[in-house]
Amino acid sequence: MNSDSAHAPEDSPASAAEPDVHILLPFWGDPDHLFTAVRSVLDQSDPRWRLTVLDDAYPDPQVAVFFAELDDSRVDYVRHPENIGITRNFRRAAELVSAPLCCIFGSDDIMGRDFVATVRDLARRSPDASIIQPAVEVLDDRGMPHLPLVDRVKQRLLAPRGRNRTARLRGEDLAASLLQGNWLYWPSLVFRTATLQRHDFPDDLPIILDLALLVDIAFDDGELVYAPGDPVFGYRRHAASLSQRALVDGSRFRDERRFYRTVAARARARGWRRAYAAARLRLFSRLHAVTVLPTVFASRNRAGITSTLAHVFAF
C-alpha cells in the first residue's frame, strides 16, 4: 500500500479491535533488511498492531514496489519527497502515532513473533510504566546471534541484575542508570504514546537523540519497566553504522561531552546527586572512547583523534 499520509486500517485481521501498538519504522538503509523487518511485524502472534513506514526518500524503486504489492490494510507506507534526516523523521514518526502504545522500530531489526503480545501484557501489568524494555537478542549483519564487547557490558554490567526479574526504574534512579551507561535498545522500546509525544527529539544530537529523549523522560519522573528473560526482539549490530562513522570524525564524542555537561547542570539544579555524579563521570562513555582509540588512530583523522582523547581525559 502506497500513500502520502498515514490512514486508519479498515479490513485487516485486527479490524475487530483498534490496535494497541503503533509501530513506526523510519527507513533509510538496506531494502532487504527493511523487507525482513516488515515481515517480522506481519508474522506477529498478536494482531493488535499497526505499522507505518516512513521512507526518507531512499533512492531505490523496489521499496515502493514492495509496499504497493503488500496489500495489507494494517500497513501504511509514507515516502517523503526529499530526505529530511533522522531527527525530523523520528519527529514525524512520533506525530503520526494513533495507538496507546508505540515503538520506533529499526529498519534492519527483527521482531520476535511474540513481541506485540509480550509488550501488551507488560503494559497491562505495569499501568504506570512510561517505557517498556523487553528482552533483546543481539544479531550481526547476517542476522545471527552476536554479543560484542559493547553488548556484554550493557547486558552484564549496566542492566539491572536478575535474569528473570522485572525491574522498575523511575526519576533519578532511571536518569543515574542511563547516565552511567545507556544499556537500553532504542528500536525495541515501547512507549506510552502520551509520554513520547510530550517530549521532543533534539536537533543537535543526531547520534544520541535516543538517550537525550530518555533522560528527558526520567527528569519528568517517567518509569521504565525492564523485563529480561526470553528475547522477543532481534537488534542488529552493524560495524558501519552512522554512529560508528561519527566516532572516526569525532562528532559523536563532541556531542556526548556537551550533552553530559548540560545534564549534569540539570541534575545539580534538581538536587539529584547520583545523577549529577553519573553525568560528570560518564564512566562507560569514557571507557567506550578508550575501546575505539585504535580504530580512530588507524583512521588518521586528526579531529577524531583529538575528540576521542578529550573524551577520555576531560572533565
Side-chain angles (χ1 to χ4, degrees):
M1 175 179 307
N2 192 352
S3 66
D4 292 329
S5 61
H7 59 272
E10 297 168 356
D11 56 355
S12 73
S15 60
E18 290 298 315
D20 286 339
V21 183
H22 195 164
I23 302 161
L24 291 304
L25 201 165
F27 168 66
W28 174 276
D30 184 328
D32 289 334
H33 286 169
L34 170 66
F35 303 154
T36 298
V38 170
R39 292 187 185 105
S40 76
V41 178
L42 297 173
D43 195 38
Q44 289 298 299
S45 61
D46 187 324
R48 293 190 62 169
W49 55 266
R50 176 183 180 186
L51 172 66
T52 300
V53 177
L54 295 99
D55 182 344
D56 200 13
Y58 189 77
D60 190 328
Q62 69 172 314
V63 176
V65 171
F66 173 85
F67 288 101
E69 296 177 348
L70 191 57
D71 192 27
D72 191 316
S73 61
R74 298 170 297 175
V75 180
D76 295 303
Y77 173 67
V78 180
R79 178 176 171 85
H80 303 314
E82 60 183 13
N83 184 272
I84 63 175
I86 185 172
T87 302
R88 290 177 61 194
N89 209 13
F90 273 37
R91 190 174 287 142
R92 182 61 178 145
E95 292 170 352
L96 289 175
V97 179
S98 61
L101 303 171
C102 60
C103 171
I104 300 183
F105 187 26
S107 64
D108 52 3
D109 298 318
I110 301 171
M111 285 187 176
R113 193 166 186 272
D114 292 326
F115 176 83
V116 170
T118 298
V119 298
R120 283 188 64 225
D121 180 61
L122 286 167
R124 178 184 59 79
R125 292 189 287 112
S126 305
D128 294 331
S130 305
I131 314 165
I132 296 168
Q133 171 67 84
V136 171
E137 180 178 45
V138 181
L139 309 174
D140 63 15
D141 285 353
R142 300 168 300 157
M144 301 300 293
H146 179 53
L147 200 65
L149 177 61
V150 62
D151 295 292
R152 292 198 297 273
V153 170
K154 277 191 173 197
Q155 296 180 14
R156 298 173 184 175
L157 296 179
L158 294 174
R161 301 295 180 88
R163 172 170 170 73
N164 294 306
R165 186 182 308 161
T166 299
R168 288 176 169 80
L169 298 173
R170 176 185 290 277
E172 184 179 11
D173 289 338
L174 176 57
S177 179
L178 294 177
L179 292 167
Q180 182 183 28
N182 184 8
W183 50 274
L184 301 176
Y185 290 92
W186 170 264
S188 71
L189 296 177
V190 171
F191 295 86
R192 301 280 180 188
T193 297
T195 296
L196 182 66
Q197 292 184 335
R198 198 161 55 242
H199 300 274
D200 195 12
F201 295 100
D203 288 311
D204 58 345
L205 296 170
I207 305 302
I208 56 169
L209 81 173
D210 55 341
L211 176 60
L213 185 135
L214 292 166
V215 169
D216 279 348
I217 292 174
F219 270 85
D220 197 29
D221 200 36
E223 179 181 83
L224 167 79
V225 170
Y226 168 55
D230 295 331
V232 293
F233 190 95
Y235 174 83
R236 204 184 298 259
R237 174 74 68 186
H238 292 285
S241 65
L242 172 64
S243 60
Q244 293 300 313
R245 292 193 297 272
L247 293 174
V248 173
D249 67 19
S251 59
R252 173 171 185 147
F253 289 136
R254 285 194 298 273
D255 287 350
E256 284 197 20
R257 285 195 300 283
R258 177 163 47 85
F259 166 74
Y260 279 104
R261 285 195 299 268
T262 300
V263 173
R266 291 176 66 188
R268 187 173 187 176
R270 181 72 68 89
W272 284 6
R273 294 183 179 181
R274 287 181 295 109
Y276 170 75
R280 285 280 294 161
L281 184 58
R282 52 181 170 79
L283 176 60
F284 282 89
S285 182
R286 290 179 195 275
L287 291 176
H288 182 206
V290 171
T291 65
V292 302
L293 271 172
T295 300
V296 176
F297 275 119
S299 75
R300 299 184 180 181
N301 184 310
R302 182 173 297 179
I305 293 170
T306 300
S307 179
T308 305
L309 288 172
H311 200 70
V312 173
F313 295 110
F315 280 87

